[in-house]
Amino acid sequence: FVYELRTSLYMLEPWEKTTFNTALLAFIAMASYTTYAFL
Amino acid sequence: EEVPFHIILICYLSYVVLILFGYMRDLMRKTGLERNTNAVERDREGYVQLYQSFESFYTRNIYRRIRDAWNMPIASVPGARITIIDRLTPDYNNTFSYPGTKTEAINMGSYNYLGFAENTGPIIENVNNTIDQYIVGVGTTRHELGTTEAISQLETLTARYLGVESSVVFGMGFGTNATNIHTIVGKGCLVLSDELNHASLILGCRLSRATVRTFRHNDMRDLERKLREQLVLGQPRTHREWKKVIIIVEGIYSMEGSIIDLPELIRIKKKYKCYVYLDEAHSIGAIGPHGRGVCDYYGCDPNDIDILMGTFTKSFGAAGGYLAGKKSLIDHIRVHSYGDAYACAMAPLVATQISSVMTTLMGEDGTNQGQQRIKQLARNTRYFRRKLNQLGFILYGNDDSPVVPLMLYFLPKIPAVIRMAYKEGIGFIGAGFPATSLTTGRVRFCISASHTREMLDKSIEFMDEIGDKLEIKYSARRRS
Amino acid sequence: LNSRGMWLSYACGVLVLHLALLSFPFLSVATVWTLTNVIHNLVMFVFLHVLKGTPWESGDQGKVRKLTHWEQIDDGIQFTSTRKFLTVVPIILFFLTSFYTKYDSFHFVVNFIALLLVLLPKLPQFHCVR
């Protein structure tokens, strides 16, 4: 709940929340992979 | 107290998220992906675009998402308790419908400092008698036939209440500033205005075409520095000396809860021989041992202030505003004011309501109810502020100010607090951007003399409970 | 723009943009830097030099409706600290990008044009020029 309040997801509609969380997870996954590949 | 730095960074991030999704929604509405429920007449040609769509971007994409927590319709007087009409929204606040139910709530949001927003009691009897004696409203201006006996009595009483020579009243608080500042200053004059002054003061200064310079909020050093600088520089381009210099400030700032540093301001005024315009919209009736506003609060002489302005909305359970000061000045304003020339005069029953309240506050109604209310408000204010401070919230403003802004910083936290309070039967008011800066969203409590200790305790317990849940106890100070 | 924490947030925003682009495994470092520079300059150009007015109804009877965001900063006073900050950031980004692209000529031309796009409108000579 606090995560949603701090990132403003609390004000978005459910499908927008899903979009944001998917994009965030994709970004984290790609960043992890690239970090691994580079290191 | 400053908020931790990381809170501010995350706050800006939350706005970036809202702006990104706002643009995405605009794109979807423009491409037809999403049905546009804003404008109904979309299929007709030739409708000129009234406003830039960018100007309503914030309203359309950010405010709309949270607007169920604002502008709730009420079905009672805005007293200590309030009846709110419930609303439902099937489409995320695009449209509302009324299920017909109502919610009783403790009213922590209305400006009702002394609790005179009542529809029972002796004052209402006077008002009812006035309706029998006069009509409900006068449909004409003061320059024509709008001056009724009730208004004349009120102006005399107001001057006596404030301890100055004369006063003039207007039917609207905002209009009192907006339509009269031009009679005092004009081209070639300098106005030093607090940066957080009310919109009506800003509008009045702009209409007067005087040169306006702002100084940091309630910072008398910055004021003096700016004043000296401007006196030396003179008018822009010609550097001729100023015809007149006037400092415009408010007694209590309704968004900050701060009280003006009046003694320091009077010292500066006397030292540099300039004028002071003091807007006591919130402070008249609410502070000072006799309810005479900031002059009473600091024990200053009201005649040191050149123009006293105030409204009857917050402490008198009425509407309208007044200007008070030297008789020559007030006569000049009566002649040159837009408000007296174009606006309808104050309704006699409103004038009677105000006179009755003022008589009560002066103790001339045979009771000491006025004094009791003033003392009760001061006690409630100090109690409420101290309790919230102890709980670890960051509050703005002076300990004696009945306006208590509690800082939330994040925009989404404001509707979250208001909605949860509404479920608990407590009515809160929130303020966010653009009424405040981006990172200083807040919930603002307006304490009233008619709040009982139980009501305050219920609000405090509720805040304590959600303070932990929403992580809004930001204060780093040691808690007593 | 000159309130507390805004400049640091701005720098963090550019850093997050760069890391987001860097997390695409199929992009080279040079391409990522050029993309960061070009996207940053395009967004800055749109928000500061194309959009006019304010995204909310400001109570000034439409006085600023015809001014871009850049022209509204600090009421139009030139060379304030905020303006200097917003002028320096693209330049620093350009230097970093040039360094990381090993001064390759193609990248240099693209980045230099993107830099001009945001530097020219910031000159005082272009204030309120349409």
Side-chain angles (χ1 to χ4, degrees), chain B residues 364-469:
Chain B
E364 294 175 1
D365 64 336
T367 70
N368 71 335
Q369 214 204 63
Q371 275 304 107
Q372 269 176 7
R373 287 176 188 249
I374 291 168
K375 288 193 173 66
Q376 183 63 37
L377 173 64
R379 255 199 309 274
N380 283 355
T381 300
R382 282 194 159 274
Y383 174 77
F384 194 74
R385 278 179 166 273
R386 196 176 57 245
K387 282 285 189 179
L388 287 183
N389 266 318
Q390 283 166 1
L391 290 175
F393 294 107
I394 292 185
L395 304 182
Y396 272 11
N398 192 300
D399 280 343
D400 291 324
S401 156
V403 181
V404 186
L406 184 146
M407 303 313 289
L408 301 179
Y409 301 102
F410 291 89
L411 182 65
K413 294 195 173 182
I414 305 173
V417 169
I418 293 174
R419 288 170 186 157
M420 294 162 93
Y422 183 52
K423 281 199 196 92
E424 293 287 318
I426 307 173
F428 283 172
I429 283 273
F433 188 80
T436 67
S437 66
L438 274 177
T439 57
T440 54
R442 64 198 68 175
V443 159
R444 192 188 56 190
F445 302 103
C446 290
I447 308 300
S448 168
S450 51
H451 282 142
T452 60
R453 188 55 59 96
E454 294 71 30
M455 293 175 183
L456 297 179
D457 286 339
K458 181 171 180 184
S459 306
I460 291 164
E461 279 155 28
F462 169 76
M463 282 313 296
D464 186 18
E465 179 195 327
I466 65 160
D468 299 316
K469 193 172 177 187

Side-chain angles (χ1 to χ4, degrees), chain A residues 1 4 8 14 18 24-25 32 34:
Chain A
F1 186 44
E4 286 203 356
S8 288
T18 312
L24 186 66
L25 288 178
S32 314
T34 310

Side-chain angles (χ1 to χ4, degrees), chain B residues 156-170:
Chain B
T156 316
L157 188 61
T158 303
R160 196 153 59 84
Y161 180 76
L162 295 167
V164 291
E165 284 179 24
S166 175
S167 77
V168 58
V169 298
F170 298 90

Side-chain angles (χ1 to χ4, degrees), chain B residues 2-5 8-9 12 19 23 50-52 54-59 202-203 206 433-434 437-439, chain C residues 3-10 12 46-47 51-63 65-66:
Chain B
E2 289 286 5
V3 70
F5 214 74
I8 288 201
L9 296 194
Y12 285 128
I19 289 172
Y23 273 107
L50 277 181
Y51 292 108
Q52 278 183 354
F54 182 60
E55 197 158 72
S56 52
F57 177 90
Y58 186 84
T59 309
I202 296 169
L203 177 60
R206 188 172 292 122
F433 188 80
S437 66
L438 274 177
T439 57
Chain C
S3 51
R4 185 167 169 254
M6 178 58 93
W7 293 8
L8 181 62
S9 309
Y10 185 97
C12 291
V46 167
F47 270 91
L51 282 175
K52 292 186 182 65
T54 54
W56 67 89
E57 271 105 50
S58 55
D60 60 1
Q61 289 88 33
K63 201 171 73 161
R65 194 174 284 165
K66 293 187 177 52

Side-chain angles (χ1 to χ4, degrees), chain C residues 99-118:
Chain C
F99 173 74
Y100 280 103
T101 54
K102 298 183 177 49
Y103 304 100
D104 170 78
S105 52
F106 170 71
H107 285 282
F108 182 85
V109 169
V110 169
N111 290 313
F112 186 66
I113 292 170
L115 176 66
L116 283 185
L117 187 70
V118 290

Side-chain angles (χ1 to χ4, degrees), chain B residues 116 118-135 150 153 157 347-360 364-365:
Chain B
F116 282 110
E118 300 159 322
N119 52 12
T120 55
I123 291 177
I124 298 304
E125 297 316 315
N126 291 350
V127 172
N128 285 338
N129 300 336
T130 309
I131 294 178
D132 301 340
Q133 187 185 353
Y134 294 99
I135 42 178
Q153 279 170 5
L157 188 61
L349 55 102
V350 173
T352 306
Q353 160 83 15
I354 299 164
S355 305
S356 310
V357 169
M358 225 169 246
T359 310
T360 307
E364 294 175 1
D365 64 336

